[in-house]
């Protein structure tokens, strides 16, 4: 049962966090400012994470009252190598979030041996560089490289002068410090990840189409994950070929529980800014550097996880109908991911390329749940040939029609294609979940009851009038491999039934009344004529 008091406290915290984030940006557009708020949250998180880790170890060793944040940098250096190996990074005490903030607030600045003085923007740039450099040459290098690239301390967006920029940066540090995100002494780390996820939701919802490109709403993420994990308590590896900010990857542990992903999280993202957000998101959800591998490349042309596939769970919301190389690249038709279908997805619509890529990297005991643009279910040409390949080889387990207006930046009603390689029958389940939602402001949302109903029918492979249909191979082939849900699930007739007898009686009454009115009008006209 949901703890209502806890939920209320969480909602209040979220509102407070958004109020701080919104107030901090000032005249800067929220979408442009998100990297500063989220980046500062991450800086605070790893500072507190490292401090708590060191303090706990020292206290267990009998050094009561030890506080890493008050240690001299020279003394801390002795532990650098060990900490990088264990935590993946290192921060000097003087460069911790709390100490940089305190020094900046005192307006002292940072005086260096050569007599030069650095201001807050220069100090932050140096600290971020030091954090990234601390991982160089170690196993965690890829997880930290370029992580703060989008935190431009010298951007005019922060202010037109150095003074104004530093005022905004200090305000930013103070605002993030004021976010009540719990204490590491109580191991309350989920608050950071939860707050980060909430902020990304708010930025995405206010950014329209741009937001939809990097964030999948939590309710859709949960549905995809639950569809992919039916009957399972743990997952070996989870993969997203278009991972955005990583919300879908992380949902697996939210649904199954902490440490349910035994080997790791794998993803690829083409946008460098979103790629950085994804890696930060992993850390803030307490996923260690050795437990995730997120790469920044074009998945369709240059996939980065050949040595890691196959994957037991693949969940994804790839970009809809984007352009790709297709048959312009003669090597792709022989690519083992695309070759089995004998045809490539159209150059103007890469949707089916993501489907084929996911299928290729799916484990024999795995499930792939992919959000799809509706057009790929019925369009002809190459896409029809790929659908034929999928159905002929019994890979399509289920197609679900979702309600419209679930995603940021688009009002279209999307679909989900669920694929498996080990189906127990030769049928495909179609579910019409068009009405399984509630309206929240300008968007629709899947409630837990909506998700539960869809997953329950999916798991049981049940037929339910006007909601689901289990189609045979022959049915689908006779429909020219059309996979649109409306082809197989008859919509419920919601029109009001008409009582013909009652309607005729009402018409007779109307006609009678009309005759009476006409007679009365004629009489009035006659009386007027006589008077004249």
């Amino acid at each position: 049962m949901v703890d209502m008091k806890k939920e209320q406290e969480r909602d209040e915290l979220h509102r407070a966090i958004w109020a701080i984030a919104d107030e901090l940006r000032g005249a800067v557009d929220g979408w442009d400012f998100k990297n500063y708020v989220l980046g500062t949250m991450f800086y605070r998180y790893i500072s507190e994470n490292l401090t708590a880790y060191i303090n706990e170890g020292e206290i267990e060793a009998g050094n009561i009252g030890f506080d890493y944040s008050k240690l001299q940098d020279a003394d801390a250096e002795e532990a650098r190598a060990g900490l990088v190996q264990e935590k993946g990074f290192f921060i000097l005490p003087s460069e911790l979030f709390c100490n940089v903030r305190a020094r900046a607030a005192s307006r002292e600045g940072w005086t260096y041996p050569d007599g030069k003085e650095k201001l807050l923007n220069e100090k932050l740039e140096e600290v971020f560089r030091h954090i990234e450099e601390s991982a160089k040459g170690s196993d965690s290098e890829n997880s930290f490289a370029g992580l703060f690239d989008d935190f431009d301390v010298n951007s005019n967006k922060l202010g037109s002068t150095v003074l104004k920029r530093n005022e905004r940066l200090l305000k930013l540090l103070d605002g993030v410090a004021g976010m009540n995100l719990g204490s590491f002494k109580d191991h309350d780390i989920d608050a950071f990840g939860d707050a980060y996820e909430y902020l990304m939701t708010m930025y995405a919802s206010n950014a329209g189409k741009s937001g939809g490109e990097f964030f999948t709403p939590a309710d859709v993420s949960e549905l995809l994950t639950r569809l992919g994990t039916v009957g399972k308590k743990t997952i070996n590896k989870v993969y997203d070929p278009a991972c955005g900010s990583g919300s879908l990857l992380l949902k697996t542990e939210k649904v199954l529980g902490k440490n349910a992903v035994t080997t790791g999280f794998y993803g690829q993202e083409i946008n460098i800014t979103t790629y950085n957000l994804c890696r930060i998101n992993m850390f803030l959800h307490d996923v260690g550097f050795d437990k995730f591998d997120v790469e920044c490349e074009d998945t369709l042309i240059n996939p980065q996880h050949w040595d890691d596939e196959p994957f037991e769970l693949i969940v994804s919301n790839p970009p809809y109908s984007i352009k790709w190389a297709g048959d312009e690249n003669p090597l792709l038709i022989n690519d083992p991911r695309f070759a089995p279908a004998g045809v490539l997805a159209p150059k103007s619509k890469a949707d089916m390329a993501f489907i084929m890529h996911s299928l290729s990297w799916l484990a024999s005991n795995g499930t792939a749940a992919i959000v799809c643009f509706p057009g790929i279910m019925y369009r002809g040409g190459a896409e029809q040939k790929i659908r034929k390949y999928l159905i002929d080889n019994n890979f399509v387990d289920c197609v679900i029609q979702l309600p419209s207006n679930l995603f940021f930046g688009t009002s279209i009603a999307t679909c989900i294609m669920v694929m498996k390689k080990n189906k127990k029958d030769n049928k495909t389940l179609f579910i019409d979940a068009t009405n399984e939602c509630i309206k929240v402001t300008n968007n629709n949302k899947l409630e837990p009851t909506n998700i539960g109903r869809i997953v329950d029918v999916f798991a049981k492979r049940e037929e339910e009038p006007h909601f689901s249909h289990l189609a045979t191979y022959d049915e689908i082939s006779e429909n020219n491999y059309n996979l649109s849900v409306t082809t197989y699930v008859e919509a419920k007739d919601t029109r009001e039934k008409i009582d013909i007898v009652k309607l005729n009686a009402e018409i007779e009454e109307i006609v009678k009344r009309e005759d009476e009115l006409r007679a009365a009008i004629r009489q009035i006209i006659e009386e007027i004529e006589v008077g004249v």
Side-chain angles (χ1 to χ4, degrees):
M1 183 178 287
V2 177
D3 187 330
M4 295 303 293
K5 185 179 179 183
K6 208 167 187 178
E7 281 297 305
Q8 186 178 355
E9 289 175 352
R10 182 170 169 267
D11 289 343
E12 287 174 0
L13 173 61
H14 283 173
R15 283 194 292 272
I17 289 170
W18 180 248
I20 291 169
D22 201 40
E23 196 264 337
L24 284 172
R25 69 185 179 90
V28 184
D29 181 77
W31 181 246
D32 292 330
F33 199 61
K34 74 181 185 305
N35 296 327
Y36 293 100
V37 176
L38 299 174
T40 305
M41 275 182 64
F42 176 62
Y43 175 35
R44 175 186 162 185
Y45 168 83
I46 59 174
S47 293
E48 294 180 9
N49 179 289
L50 185 68
T51 301
Y53 180 78
I54 296 170
N55 289 351
E56 191 175 290
E58 289 291 331
I59 292 169
E60 285 179 0
N63 195 353
I64 307 300
F66 179 86
D67 187 351
Y68 179 71
S69 68
K70 294 177 181 175
L71 200 66
Q72 293 296 312
D73 285 355
D75 296 330
E77 279 289 356
E78 297 175 14
R80 177 186 286 270
L83 286 169
V84 169
Q85 187 176 5
E86 294 163 22
K87 299 293 290 180
F89 67 99
F90 179 75
I91 307 177
L92 287 167
S94 68
E95 296 187 339
L96 293 168
F97 175 88
C98 61
N99 289 332
V100 170
R101 177 192 170 220
R103 189 69 174 266
S106 70
R107 309 286 178 180
E108 290 180 58
W110 288 264
T111 305
Y112 283 70
D114 59 5
K116 289 184 179 178
E117 186 174 288
K118 287 196 175 183
L119 300 176
L120 178 58
N121 63 322
E122 296 171 298
K123 183 61 180 177
L124 284 175
E125 189 173 43
E126 180 182 65
V127 170
F128 296 158
R129 186 177 73 253
H130 286 169
I131 293 172
E132 291 181 13
E133 287 176 349
S134 73
K136 278 190 175 178
S138 72
D139 293 338
S140 61
E141 180 175 352
N142 188 54
S143 298
F144 282 88
L147 206 53
F148 290 99
D149 282 356
D150 296 301
F151 198 115
D152 185 358
V153 297
N154 299 306
S155 172
N156 287 332
K157 291 176 182 176
L158 291 173
S160 56
T161 65
V162 172
L163 179 63
K164 288 181 179 178
R165 288 197 281 274
N166 280 312
E167 286 177 353
R168 176 64 58 78
L169 287 169
L170 178 56
K171 192 176 180 183
L172 185 61
L173 293 178
D174 286 341
V176 170
M179 292 180 180
N180 183 18
L181 298 174
S183 167
F184 274 89
K185 293 176 183 177
D186 303 321
H187 302 283
D188 190 12
I189 51 176
D190 287 337
F192 275 88
D194 184 58
Y196 188 79
E197 202 82 10
Y198 169 74
L199 280 173
M200 285 198 292
T201 303
M202 294 302 291
Y203 284 125
S205 64
N206 287 312
K209 185 177 179 182
S210 299
E213 290 173 357
F214 90 102
F215 190 76
T216 301
D219 52 338
V220 180
S221 296
E222 179 163 344
L223 174 59
L224 286 170
T225 304
R226 289 186 59 185
L227 290 169
T229 57
V230 167
K232 295 185 178 182
K233 293 183 178 179
T234 61
I235 290 293
N236 181 18
K237 291 183 288 190
V238 57
Y239 172 68
D240 185 346
C243 63
S245 57
S247 59
L248 256 173
L249 286 171
L250 289 162
K251 189 62 69 172
T252 312
E253 282 199 338
K254 193 96 171 180
V255 170
L256 295 182
K258 191 69 178 170
N259 301 319
V261 180
T262 57
T263 300
F265 303 80
Y266 298 81
Q268 194 161 330
E269 170 58 39
I270 196 169
N271 182 285
I272 184 70
T273 297
T274 312
Y275 160 69
N276 289 334
L277 287 173
C278 181
R279 290 185 295 163
I280 290 174
N281 203 7
M282 289 290 159
F283 284 117
L284 287 178
H285 282 84
D286 198 36
V287 178
F289 72 89
D290 56 344
K291 198 80 182 286
F292 73 87
D293 183 359
V294 179
E295 303 289 345
C296 186
E297 281 286 355
D298 185 329
T299 298
L300 300 180
I301 304 302
N302 192 15
Q304 294 294 296
H305 295 98
W306 285 107
D307 295 334
D308 304 302
E309 59 95 10
F311 299 99
E312 187 179 352
L313 174 63
I314 298 178
V315 283
S316 192
N317 176 23
Y320 307 142
S321 299
I322 60 167
K323 295 178 181 179
W324 77 305
D327 56 16
E328 279 185 1
N329 186 336
L331 299 176
L332 289 176
I333 193 59
N334 295 315
D335 189 304
R337 298 171 298 158
F338 310 125
V343 64
L344 295 170
K347 287 182 293 185
S348 59
K349 303 175 183 70
D351 310 70
M352 277 299 190
F354 281 104
I355 293 290
M356 289 298 295
H357 167 81
S358 298
L359 176 64
S360 176
W361 283 14
L362 183 64
S364 59
N365 67 332
T367 302
I370 316 291
V371 177
C372 304
F373 184 79
I376 72 167
M377 300 297 176
Y378 59 80
R379 289 190 297 234
E383 289 177 317
Q384 183 184 36
K385 292 176 182 176
I386 295 173
R387 291 197 305 271
K388 182 179 187 304
Y389 163 76
L390 296 174
I391 293 298
D392 286 351
N393 289 277
N394 200 28
F395 291 134
V396 182
D397 187 59
C398 181
V399 178
I400 302 167
Q401 177 69 52
L402 293 176
S404 61
N405 221 24
L406 285 178
F407 295 85
F408 305 122
T410 179
S411 60
I412 61 169
T414 53
C415 307
I416 295 174
M417 181 184 287
V418 182
M419 296 185 291
K420 293 182 180 179
K421 290 182 176 178
N422 62 344
K423 286 174 61 182
K424 295 177 181 178
D425 59 38
N426 194 27
K427 296 179 179 180
T428 300
L429 180 66
F430 292 88
I431 298 176
D432 185 357
T434 305
N435 299 314
E436 287 297 315
C437 64
I438 62 165
K439 189 170 183 62
V440 179
T441 61
N442 295 325
N443 280 76
N444 288 324
K445 181 183 178 183
L446 301 171
E447 284 282 275
T449 51
N450 304 132
I451 295 172
R453 185 187 182 199
I454 296 168
V455 174
D456 188 53
V457 170
F458 168 78
K460 295 176 181 176
R461 294 181 77 73
E462 288 182 336
E463 293 229 11
E464 192 175 313
H466 311 299
F467 187 70
S468 63
H469 175 65
L470 202 53
T472 64
Y473 170 80
D474 289 339
E475 278 184 85
I476 297 173
S477 62
E478 286 169 7
N479 280 296
N480 296 316
Y481 299 94
N482 184 322
L483 298 181
S484 294
V485 171
T486 52
T487 303
Y488 304 94
V489 181
E490 183 183 359
K492 190 173 184 178
D493 189 352
T494 57
R495 292 174 299 177
E496 184 181 352
K497 291 186 178 179
I498 299 172
D499 186 333
I500 298 298
V501 174
K502 183 180 178 182
L503 179 62
N504 284 334
E506 289 175 352
I507 292 173
E508 286 181 12
E509 187 65 32
I510 291 171
V511 171
K512 180 182 176 182
R513 179 62 180 154
E514 185 182 9
D515 290 341
E516 290 174 352
L517 288 171
R518 287 181 184 279
I521 291 169
R522 277 198 302 272
Q523 185 176 350
I524 292 170
I525 292 173
E526 288 173 358
E527 289 175 355
I528 291 173
E529 289 176 344
V530 170
V532 172

